[in-house]
Amino acid sequence: MSTPAQPRPPGILTGLLVGILIALPVIAIFFALNALVALPALPINVMDWLPNNLPNDLLNFGKQTMADVLIALNIGRLDQVAKIAEGIIGTATLFGLIVLAIVAVFGIARTQKGPPRRDTHRPDRWAGARCAARPDVRQPAAGAVPERANALLIDSAYIMGMLVGSGLIAGLIYDRLTRLPETNSEIAASAERLNRRQFLVRVGGSTATLTVAGAVVSLLRSAGAVEPVEEIVAPDSPTPSGPVEVVGMSDDFTAAPGTRSEYTPLEEHYRIDIVSRPPEIDAATWALSMTGLVNNPQAFTLDQLRAMDSVSQFVTLSCISNSIGGDLISTTKWTGVKMQDLVALADPQPEATYLKITSADGFDEYVNLDLIREDERIILAYAWDDRPLLQKHGFPVRIYIPNHYGMKQPKWITHMEFVPEWEEGYWVRRGWSASALVQTTSVVDTVASDSVFEQDGTTYVPIGGIAYSGSRGISRVEVSIDEGAGCRPRSSRR
């Protein structure tokens, strides 16, 4: 009886192919189950993990480089395309890690000594799993609330199961590719026996099916994921019940044709976050706690905040990363409660000098209590444009601090603590500005050459744009087209 020739063990290239065939459906399944039952989408978690763990210099270089590239490409609003780019980076990172791990499985298994396994022996189906990537899944921190701890435990078990399962599948595929029949007669009796190429083709077909199915489910759920306000907020009326003071914008100005809108529609307001997906907070169970160095600790529900005296003001907010002429700047109407009133209710002790604000997305920032006492424009906002805050814009509450960029203004706020001294907030710890004061900027959007007109024998060319200087205001913008020799503005806009 002759012995069939031993096939060569699968090599690194085969491992690369198998890694791709496994990584694609795994990522699609992550997104599909996230869309269907809100389980974690690990590619998004990877992207959220990177900024919190990369060295500051590398993080800042990466963010600036990505912004410069997206601005140069000019393929859409920077905040929107940046979110898409972050998702692609997270997905590509996880894809690469899974593929590399499976290549390592094949590489290590290939170096193992000993005769090839035969059908008469039980294949070592765990060989690949022992070499599979071991994910660094964070466990719940000690002292966390039980509900959060349980959620973290479930999420961690799910992620671990998916990744370990990927390793098991890689091991099974390796075993199948290296398995030999016992005798030549078995080969003759098995006319339909698959060779490696046919086997990998079938694996590829299964991969394509799972990947397409997962992608379709995720896209369909995403396409239907409109953010209805009624499902996000408590069922009571979203309008403030107390007296409302409105300050800000006038309507006695006509902009030059082609000038960007002075007021930003809510759906177009820019959004820059530290997480890829906004936190989901239940209004029915949420409460804002105010603790620390206070005589009267507080816990406000959303209904209680809405019942207080309110103030509405037109606010221009800009991202510190906004380039000159960029679109990371928006203006809308904010409604909320004066922080002065909330601080007075808590009655801080003399040792309290700062307010530490913590958000559901892990963001934190410090606000000087003296600044709050001096500036009544600082508000805790729960509505924009006479509508409750959208989930993506900070529901249920966010703070507004005049004359500062958005990096100093937390949203999705859950806790405020009165503390004795200032510490570095989220972005300051990463090397960004400690004060983040707004810098004056002026941008020409349009020279309306098609709208030239004459008045009192003088020809005028409408020029439109924006000027922004935080809470300091703009009294006049002058435009020169002849190096200041004789050109003067016809009108100005504060």
Side-chain angles (χ1 to χ4, degrees):
M1 180 181 297
S2 61
T3 302
Q6 296 180 2
R8 291 179 301 172
I12 299 300
L13 291 179
T14 302
L16 179 63
L17 175 60
V18 172
I20 294 172
L21 294 178
I22 291 177
L24 286 173
V26 165
I27 289 175
I29 291 171
F30 268 122
F31 279 113
L33 292 181
N34 175 261
L36 288 174
V37 291
L39 285 171
L42 190 55
I44 303 300
N45 299 129
V46 168
M47 192 58 214
D48 291 342
W49 180 89
L50 290 175
N52 292 313
N53 293 274
L54 290 176
N56 290 338
D57 291 343
L58 180 59
L59 170 64
N60 295 334
F61 173 78
K63 282 185 169 291
Q64 188 60 54
T65 301
M66 184 175 72
D68 291 343
V69 170
L70 295 177
I71 291 172
L73 293 175
N74 193 27
I75 54 178
R77 282 179 43 187
L78 182 57
D79 59 335
Q80 294 178 347
V81 295
K83 288 294 179 188
I84 296 173
E86 289 174 358
I88 293 174
I89 292 172
T91 301
T93 300
L94 179 62
F95 178 84
L97 290 174
I98 294 175
V99 171
L100 287 176
I102 293 175
V103 168
V105 168
F106 274 62
I108 295 172
R110 183 181 173 86
T111 63
Q112 292 178 348
K113 303 290 185 180
R117 290 176 294 276
R118 300 179 181 274
D119 283 347
T120 55
H121 297 83
R122 179 181 179 86
D124 184 6
R125 299 177 182 270
W126 299 92
R130 287 198 296 266
C131 306
R134 297 179 180 179
D136 180 16
V137 180
R138 292 185 177 182
Q139 296 299 322
V145 295
E147 292 82 359
R148 180 58 181 161
N150 291 337
L152 285 174
L153 183 61
I154 293 172
D155 291 350
S156 299
Y158 163 66
I159 292 173
M160 181 72 76
M162 287 287 291
L163 296 182
V164 171
S166 302
L168 289 174
I169 293 172
L172 293 175
I173 292 177
Y174 184 89
D175 288 339
R176 179 65 181 85
L177 291 173
T178 57
R179 194 181 309 162
L180 291 175
E182 179 65 23
T183 65
N184 285 335
S185 60
E186 290 180 344
I187 297 178
S190 302
E192 296 183 359
R193 182 178 297 278
L194 299 177
N195 60 31
R196 286 183 180 179
R197 179 175 299 178
Q198 292 169 328
F199 176 70
L200 289 175
V201 167
R202 291 195 178 185
V203 172
S206 300
T207 292
T209 301
L210 289 173
T211 302
V212 171
V216 168
V217 169
S218 181
L219 289 173
L220 289 177
R221 293 287 294 182
S222 299
V226 181
E227 190 175 11
V229 173
E230 293 77 13
E231 295 183 7
I232 297 175
V233 301
D236 60 342
S237 171
T239 57
S241 57
V244 177
E245 173 190 359
V246 180
V247 296
M249 186 176 293
S250 62
D251 56 2
D252 58 352
F253 177 75
T254 301
T259 305
R260 74 183 74 184
S261 174
E262 185 176 12
Y263 191 85
T264 309
L266 195 56
E267 60 274 10
E268 296 180 10
H269 199 289
Y270 91 89
R271 168 188 158 225
I272 298 292
D273 309 323
I274 66 170
V275 291
S276 301
R277 292 184 176 179
E280 296 185 11
I281 298 178
D282 184 3
T285 59
W286 174 88
L288 172 66
S289 59
M290 301 183 74
T291 61
L293 299 175
V294 294
N295 295 319
N296 299 316
Q298 301 290 325
F300 300 102
T301 67
L302 188 56
D303 290 342
Q304 289 172 331
L305 291 175
R306 288 174 176 169
M308 296 180 181
D309 291 348
S310 305
V311 60
S312 292
Q313 52 189 320
F314 293 98
V315 171
T316 296
L317 189 67
S318 176
C319 178
I320 195 171
S321 299
N322 193 36
S323 59
I324 296 179
D327 50 23
L328 301 182
I329 182 171
S330 303
T331 301
T332 196
K333 179 182 175 183
W334 294 47
T335 299
V337 182
K338 292 181 180 180
M339 282 300 303
Q340 290 178 345
D341 296 341
L342 298 179
V343 169
L345 289 172
D347 189 16
Q349 299 171 5
E351 297 83 3
T353 59
Y354 281 85
L355 190 63
K356 179 184 179 181
I357 302 176
T358 304
S359 301
D361 61 343
F363 189 88
D364 64 285
E365 188 51 76
Y366 291 78
V367 182
N368 193 318
L369 285 177
D370 286 340
L371 179 63
I372 294 176
R373 295 186 181 103
E374 294 168 2
D375 194 339
E376 64 178 3
R377 296 171 300 174
I378 301 177
I379 64 172
L380 188 70
Y382 50 74
W384 273 9
D385 199 17
D386 295 325
R387 295 169 55 188
L389 282 173
L390 298 179
Q391 175 192 348
K392 64 181 180 181
H393 285 308
F395 178 85
V397 294
R398 61 183 297 167
I399 196 170
Y400 168 61
I401 307 172
N403 207 37
H404 290 76
Y405 287 113
M407 61 163 279
K408 302 289 285 187
Q409 318 216 24
K411 40 193 173 181
W412 304 295
I413 297 174
T414 57
H415 181 64
M416 294 184 177
E417 180 184 4
F418 292 79
V419 296
E421 58 186 13
W422 177 84
E423 295 184 20
E424 294 181 339
Y426 181 90
W427 282 117
V428 180
R429 292 193 297 271
R430 287 156 177 79
W432 292 61
S433 171
S435 60
L437 293 173
V438 168
Q439 303 297 307
T440 300
T441 184
S442 178
V443 178
V444 173
D445 284 332
T446 180
V447 177
S449 56
D450 294 337
S451 301
V452 174
F453 64 94
E454 291 189 5
Q455 182 173 322
D456 299 328
T458 302
T459 300
Y460 292 95
V461 179
I463 297 176
I466 65 168
Y468 177 55
S469 187
S471 62
R472 298 184 299 278
I474 301 291
S475 61
R476 184 172 64 183
V477 175
E478 296 185 355
V479 180
S480 174
I481 59 174
D482 56 2
E483 299 182 352
C487 178
R488 60 183 178 85
R490 179 176 183 272
S491 62
S492 61
R493 170 65 168 163
R494 182 174 178 80

